[in-house]
Amino acid sequence: MHIILIPQRRDDTLMLSREGDVLIINEEAYDFSQVPDGATLPASAIDSEFIVHEVQRIDGVLYITIILPHGADASEAARFPAPIIDPPNGVVELPQ
Amino acid sequence: MSLTNLTLRADLDRLLTSQELDQNQVNLRDILDQVASGWFSEDPPSVTIAGMLWTKRSTGVQYRRSVDNESWIAEREVFKELQNKAPNLTALTDLVGANGSIPVFTGVGAMARRPIVGTASQSGGVPTGSIVESGSNANGLYWRYAGGMQACLRFNIIIPPHALNAGSTVDVAAAAAFADSYFIGAVQVVGQYNGSGAHVDVGSLYTNGMYMTTVNATVMRISTWGYSKALTTGVILNLLTIGRWHL
């Protein structure tokens, strides 16, 4: 699983954790295990305000783009975040 | 000068410079009220009360002449009296200033110092933070204003090429979230993605048409369709979005 973060100044927060092909966004679980290889799931099919781009599986790897909320005085790492490549199961460490 | 006046002046002098003021002996408050009102009046700048000459100084401290009329005595009690009359002034004098900050009322007799440019925040539409917030991230630049207006800039959006009777859709996330999907966008066409000549595709984009819709409070969708021509190389756009960040 590759998580691409798109930073946005917002007043809400994001808690992210991973269990295999399941991504838990603010305690809501999204199961992407049914997305076959080469397929694309449009953002409109995913009921989350944090997912605004399509989810793809390429060569067996899920690519998920997620909005990363940050505050007014966020760090460079949060405002220009690097992708998170294959995070281990559990809480996903997000740049603050 | 009569003996009565001399005694009064001596008493006043002692009382006004003493820390132990006995309100029963002399109605000091009445005298200070007169002095304060004289201070506020445009004319005269100096007043004579109880046989003494009082005047104002630019430091904001009231002065009066000494009994022997040889020197000026600072009268801080008058300033305290003024503060009692004007709680907002007291709150203002209690503030510690900082460069780029302004004082704001937070209630009757309550003030706070806030940076002009800092974190914009609000409660029930009432600003609780700075006048404007300015920031940037990988999605571009944004400004949030007290009052709710938000503007975002996004640079170098690429509209990918497409065939005749086909289209491209690009979803662009704003640098800061809007309150709802009621925000609008305007584009500036920068040029062709990898062309340097006739800018054929820029013309094709206009011939074909382009439109924008908001997907949610975050994303502006730019759509193109090849009604008359194919888009062969793609076109670069800049996007300005304006809306509100709170209701």
Side-chain angles (χ1 to χ4, degrees), chain B residues 97-101 113 115-116:
Chain B
N99 192 17
S101 293
R113 170 177 61 79
I116 295 171

Side-chain angles (χ1 to χ4, degrees), chain B:
Chain B
M1 190 172 286
S2 70
L3 182 64
T4 312
N5 269 352
L6 277 174
T7 308
L8 180 60
R9 287 175 62 172
D11 278 349
L12 270 173
D13 193 45
R14 180 173 56 78
L15 282 165
L16 290 170
T17 53
S18 158
Q19 294 299 309
E20 299 165 0
L21 298 175
D22 188 345
Q23 296 291 324
N24 293 323
Q25 283 185 320
V26 174
N27 197 340
L28 184 63
R29 185 170 292 268
D30 284 352
I31 295 172
L32 291 171
D33 277 353
Q34 292 180 56
V35 174
S37 63
W39 187 356
F40 282 123
S41 67
E42 290 291 321
D43 184 28
S46 300
V47 290
T48 302
I49 300 168
M52 286 181 288
L53 182 65
W54 301 70
T55 191
K56 62 179 178 181
R57 285 289 184 270
S58 59
T59 53
V61 177
Q62 192 83 12
Y63 285 76
R64 64 181 174 83
R65 295 296 282 176
S66 61
V67 174
D68 58 8
N69 208 27
E70 288 297 315
S71 59
W72 291 99
I73 298 169
E75 207 45 89
R76 295 185 183 280
E77 293 299 328
V78 178
F79 195 64
K80 285 181 189 168
E81 184 71 14
L82 181 68
Q83 287 185 320
N84 290 338
K85 287 175 185 288
N88 286 335
L89 183 67
T90 309
L92 181 62
T93 58
D94 286 344
L95 285 181
V96 177
N99 192 17
S101 293
I102 51 168
V104 293
F105 289 110
T106 54
V108 176
M111 298 191 80
R113 170 177 61 79
R114 290 180 187 157
I116 295 171
V117 182
T119 303
S121 59
Q122 56 89 31
S123 176
V126 178
T128 57
S130 292
I131 294 175
V132 61
E133 175 181 332
S134 165
S136 67
N137 56 34
N139 285 324
L141 311 176
Y142 73 89
W143 293 266
R144 278 185 169 184
Y145 288 88
M149 196 188 96
Q150 175 175 291
C152 298
L153 288 180
R154 177 78 180 259
F155 300 95
N156 296 329
I157 301 159
I158 298 164
I159 303 292
H162 55 75
L164 181 67
N165 294 321
S168 286
T169 299
V170 179
D171 285 348
V172 183
F178 291 94
D180 50 31
S181 58
Y182 292 102
F183 64 99
I184 67 164
V187 293
Q188 173 195 26
V189 178
V190 179
Q192 286 188 196
Y193 179 51
N194 57 2
S196 59
H199 285 192
V200 168
D201 286 320
V202 173
S204 298
L205 188 69
Y206 280 118
T207 308
N208 287 333
M210 173 172 57
Y211 59 99
M212 287 186 281
T213 49
T214 50
V215 177
N216 48 36
T218 293
V219 173
M220 180 65 80
R221 174 167 293 165
I222 303 173
S223 303
T224 61
W225 188 262
Y227 294 103
S228 62
K229 289 176 179 171
L231 205 62
T232 55
T233 65
V235 173
I236 303 170
L237 307 175
N238 294 336
L239 174 67
L240 161 70
T241 47
I242 290 182
R244 52 188 182 178
W245 61 275
H246 72 78
L247 302 182

Side-chain angles (χ1 to χ4, degrees), chain A residues 5-11 43-44 48-49 51-53 67 70-73 78-81, chain B residues 118-120 133 135-139 142 144 171-177 216-219 245:
Chain A
L5 299 168
I6 47 175
Q8 193 171 58
R9 167 72 171 95
R10 298 168 69 98
D11 290 324
S44 56
S48 171
E49 57 178 321
I51 298 180
V52 294
H53 287 299
I67 283 183
H70 69 73
D73 47 4
R79 295 186 296 120
F80 298 90
Chain B
T119 303
E133 175 181 332
S136 67
N137 56 34
N139 285 324
Y142 73 89
R144 278 185 169 184
D171 285 348
V172 183
N216 48 36
T218 293
V219 173
W245 61 275

